[in-house]
């Protein structure tokens, strides 16, 4: 069965948005990969700027003479801006046209990067990072939708798989490029390199995507009221869960913050049901091949970031590796993700996503369960191969899941669906970090007699391993839930009918 457009209007033909008329197959074949290249640049820049800045934080703190409590907002505000604005900006791209929102995102990202580079103080840098996060959200919200609009159904898995490799490349390259820059150049160069790339990409996008149109009548308007409640509620929720341990999970501040964020989100849903042009189309959740992949993506990133957050501490403390070697070790899962993702996307174009996504979640859960049992005595390879499995499992899952999710939604709502997908991914990352931090710190604090991890000593190795074990087990059990959710999506015989 082919899903109908939730707005009640049949979707338009799925020709490439920036390409022309049907019949120019040869030109379209070349241009769709040019479009992919533009999307890849945007995704790489956005991903790179998430990871490249973290390694520079100690240098930035020293140069700007700011306390750690202020410096921690440099990465935090980027995450909050991206996560809270993805859904409204996806909806805006449906109304205004993806070309307009996408090109504006490129240009604003360049200007925000310039502002970051010349910021005279930490407060100005944080303000610039908030704008950078908002512009990155414009790029992220449009990217999957542009690819799905551009590529025919039979090639979407391959395109989204290649995009998954780009994401992995950005995550891999961030710490490496950042480290090289910091060693020989001022930290501000980290932001300046974005400026010429962004400006050139904006010009190219304006030319290549010049015929793209809005997929929803602009007369419907934009839901500013709903956007306000969504941004406030989601930002507050992410902020509270990120600080839950340091505040104490049962403290009045934590409980009050979570309660207010939930109330605001409930009010947001109430507003969306009453407006004529909601940014959150609840009827999309009635599409089985959208809802289950959306939930599965959220679950995958919760389990993945349970490992990503804690593994560096395991490598540095009990294992005694240098920061440099620990950093190279953390490249392993992303390297295998970049190798596996395109192949998985290619296979999914022929077989569908159900089996591949279920298998990917199974591999992820097995890797996390194994990691819960490792000790430094097992040697380096006992860490390296399960990290490779994490990357393989993620690579098997991501491309088929993304392709199915985006293909199940009518073209008129793909920007909105793209924003929902990216928001679920970012929320999963934040909750994964918060969950692993909460479990680990609670057990470590309890079994060490009230000590914190910063007071780690060799005699606390047993305590560390116990806390680490429970956190990895939690991530493994979350992945097991993902196995069930991935399987329950069912088949997708109608997927490639366009």
């Amino acid at each position: 069965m082919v899903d109908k457009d939730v707005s009640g209007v049949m979707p338009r033909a799925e020709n490439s948005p920036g390409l022309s008329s049907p019949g120019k197959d040869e030109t379209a074949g070349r241009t769709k990969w040019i479009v992919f290249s533009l999307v890849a640049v945007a995704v790489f820049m956005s991903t790179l700027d998430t990871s490249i800045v973290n390694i520079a934080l100690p240098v930035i703190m020293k140069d700007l003479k700011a306390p750690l409590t202020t410096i921690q907002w440099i990465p935090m505000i980027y995450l909050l801006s991206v996560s809270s604005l993805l859904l409204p900006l996806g909806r805006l791209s449906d109304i205004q046209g993806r070309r307009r929102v996408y090109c504006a995102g490129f240009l604003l990202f360049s200007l925000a990067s310039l502002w970051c580079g010349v910021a005279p103080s930490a407060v100005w840098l944080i303000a610039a990072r908030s704008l950078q996060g908002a512009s990155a959200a414009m790029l992220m919200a449009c990217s999957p939708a542009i690819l799905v609009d551009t590529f025919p159904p039979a090639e979407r898995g391959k395109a989204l798989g290649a995009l998954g490799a780009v994401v992995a490349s950005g995550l891999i390259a961030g710490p490496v490029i950042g480290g090289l820059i910091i060693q020989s150049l001022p930290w501000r160069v980290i932001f300046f390199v974005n400026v010429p790339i962004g400006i050139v990409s904006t010009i190219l996008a304006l030319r290549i995507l010049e015929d793209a149109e809005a997929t929803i009548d602009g007369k419907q308007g934009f839901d500013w009221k709903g956007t306000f409640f969504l941004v406030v509620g989601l930002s507050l929720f992410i902020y509270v869960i990120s600080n839950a341990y340091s505040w104490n999970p049962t403290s009045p501040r934590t409980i009050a913050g979570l309660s207010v964020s939930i109330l605001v989100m409930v009010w947001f849903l109430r507003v969306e049901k009453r407006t004529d042009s909601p940014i959150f189309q609840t009827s999309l959740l009635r599409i089985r091949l959208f809802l289950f992949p959306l939930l599965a993506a959220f679950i995958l990133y919760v389990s993945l970031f349970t490992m990503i957050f804690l593994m560096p501490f395991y490598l540095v403390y009990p294992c005694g590796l240098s920061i440099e070697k620990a950093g190279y070790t953390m490249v392993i899962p992303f390297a295998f993700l970049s190798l596996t993702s395109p192949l998985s996307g290619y296979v999914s174009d022929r077989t569908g996503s159900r089996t591949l996504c279920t298998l990917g979640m199974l591999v992820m859960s097995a890797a996390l369960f194994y990691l819960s049992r490792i000790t430094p005595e097992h040697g380096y390879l006992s860490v390296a191969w399960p990290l490779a499995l994490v990357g393989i499992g993620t690579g098997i899952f991501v491309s088929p899941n993304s392709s199915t999710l985006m293909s199940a939604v009518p073209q008129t709502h793909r920007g909105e669906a793209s924003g929902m997908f990216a928001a679920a991914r970012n929320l999963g990352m934040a909750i994964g970090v918060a969950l692993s931090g909460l479990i680990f710190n609670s057990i470590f604090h309890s079994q060490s007699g009230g000590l914190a991890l910063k007071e780690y000593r060799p005699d606390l190795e047993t305590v560390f391993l116990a806390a680490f074990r429970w956190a990895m087990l939690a991530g493994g059990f979350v992945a097991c839930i993902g196995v069930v959710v991935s399987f329950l999506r069912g088949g997708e015989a109608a997927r490639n009918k366009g």
Side-chain angles (χ1 to χ4, degrees):
M1 181 180 72
V2 179
D3 292 310
K4 292 178 65 177
D5 186 340
V6 290
S7 67
V9 179
M10 291 304 294
R12 28 175 229 188
E14 298 196 14
N15 297 325
S16 300
L19 311 182
S20 62
S21 57
K24 298 186 179 179
D25 295 336
E26 186 177 347
T27 301
R30 290 195 301 268
T31 308
K32 66 187 176 187
W33 287 108
I34 298 176
V35 172
F36 174 85
S37 299
L38 277 175
V39 171
V41 169
V43 170
F44 184 81
M45 288 173 63
S46 304
T47 308
L48 184 74
D49 247 62
T50 302
S51 58
I52 197 173
V53 173
N54 293 340
I55 199 169
L57 292 179
V59 179
I60 295 173
M61 181 170 65
K62 182 178 180 180
D63 185 50
L64 298 182
K65 299 179 176 58
L68 181 61
T69 51
T70 301
I71 292 298
Q72 70 181 11
W73 275 97
I74 295 173
M76 175 71 78
I77 197 67
Y78 188 87
L79 174 64
L80 290 179
S81 297
V82 170
S83 301
S84 60
L85 291 174
L86 279 166
L87 183 54
L89 289 172
R91 174 65 176 181
L92 186 65
S93 77
D94 285 332
I95 297 173
Q96 296 294 328
R98 303 198 223 293
R99 170 182 176 266
R100 183 176 298 180
V101 175
Y102 194 70
C103 292
F106 255 133
L107 183 59
L108 285 176
F109 192 87
S110 302
L111 295 176
S113 297
L114 179 62
W115 185 10
C116 288
V118 301
S121 67
V123 173
W124 279 101
L125 180 55
I126 291 167
R129 283 284 283 175
S130 68
L131 179 60
Q132 194 182 42
S135 54
M138 298 172 78
L139 297 172
M140 291 181 187
C142 294
S143 294
I146 288 175
L147 289 186
V148 173
D149 286 349
T150 302
F151 284 80
E155 295 182 359
R156 287 172 185 166
K158 179 169 63 177
L160 290 168
L163 190 65
V166 173
V167 171
S169 299
L171 292 171
I172 293 170
V176 177
I177 294 175
L180 292 174
I181 290 175
I182 294 300
Q183 284 179 5
S184 54
L185 296 169
W187 61 265
R188 297 176 186 275
V189 176
I190 285 175
F191 298 106
F192 287 145
V193 295
N194 293 330
V195 178
I197 298 173
I199 291 175
V200 172
S201 298
T202 302
I203 295 171
L204 291 175
L206 283 169
R207 291 177 62 85
I208 294 169
L209 302 178
E210 59 186 353
D211 292 331
E213 301 173 356
T215 55
I216 288 182
D217 187 353
K219 294 179 181 179
Q220 290 190 26
F222 184 73
D223 181 16
W224 293 104
K225 187 176 181 181
T227 298
F228 171 78
F229 285 115
L230 176 65
V231 170
V232 172
L234 194 55
S235 296
L236 181 59
F237 179 76
I238 293 175
Y239 176 68
V240 172
I241 63 172
S242 298
N243 290 278
Y245 176 76
S246 59
W247 293 351
N248 188 334
T250 58
S251 69
R253 179 162 54 166
T254 303
I255 295 173
L258 287 176
S259 299
V260 171
S261 68
I262 292 172
L263 286 174
V264 172
M265 292 303 295
V266 169
W267 190 258
F268 161 72
L269 293 175
R270 186 175 180 181
V271 168
E272 294 305 282
K273 289 181 179 180
R274 294 181 174 182
T275 185
D276 294 330
S277 54
I279 59 171
F280 180 77
Q281 193 71 248
T282 56
S283 54
L284 288 177
L285 300 180
R286 294 197 292 268
I287 302 174
R288 173 177 51 83
L289 288 177
F290 175 78
L291 174 61
F292 282 91
L294 187 71
L295 292 174
F298 169 76
I299 291 169
L300 175 94
Y301 284 99
V302 171
S303 58
L304 176 62
F305 273 74
T306 299
M307 181 280 296
I308 286 178
F309 176 65
L310 285 180
M311 185 53 65
F313 295 99
Y314 172 83
L315 296 171
V316 170
Y317 288 125
C319 291
L321 299 185
S322 65
I323 294 291
E324 182 181 16
K325 190 169 183 179
Y328 284 123
T329 301
M330 290 305 298
V331 167
I332 293 174
F334 299 114
F336 277 87
L337 190 162
S338 66
L339 293 172
T340 310
S341 186
L343 177 61
S344 177
Y346 177 81
V347 173
S348 74
D349 286 333
R350 287 148 181 77
T351 65
S353 69
R354 185 186 199 180
T355 300
L356 287 168
C357 290
T358 304
L359 175 62
M361 281 288 193
L362 276 171
V363 173
M364 171 71 78
S365 61
L368 291 175
F369 285 139
Y370 182 85
L371 286 171
S372 72
R373 302 177 60 84
I374 60 172
T375 65
E377 288 73 27
H378 288 156
Y380 186 77
L381 284 178
S382 68
V383 175
W385 76 261
L387 288 182
L389 276 184
V390 168
I392 292 170
T394 305
I396 291 173
F397 174 91
V398 168
S399 321
N401 194 69
S402 303
S403 181
T404 295
L405 181 149
M406 293 301 301
S407 297
V409 176
Q411 188 178 24
T412 50
H413 291 278
R414 280 185 185 151
E416 183 182 350
S418 181
M420 291 172 69
F421 173 52
R425 180 183 64 218
N426 279 268
L427 188 59
M429 292 177 182
I431 291 180
V433 171
L435 175 66
S436 58
L438 179 61
I439 293 172
F440 180 91
N441 286 315
S442 298
I443 295 174
F444 189 90
H445 184 272
S446 173
Q447 296 190 11
S448 66
L451 297 179
L453 181 59
K454 64 181 180 181
E455 302 170 272
Y456 180 82
R457 306 185 303 265
D459 59 291
L460 293 173
E461 179 180 310
T462 303
V463 175
F464 183 102
L465 292 176
F468 181 80
R469 180 178 303 114
W470 281 106
M472 292 301 102
L473 284 172
F477 283 119
V478 170
C480 285
I481 297 173
V483 171
V484 177
V485 173
S486 295
F487 183 79
L488 289 178
R489 73 182 59 199
E492 49 202 282
R495 173 178 149 190
N496 287 347
K497 293 182 181 179

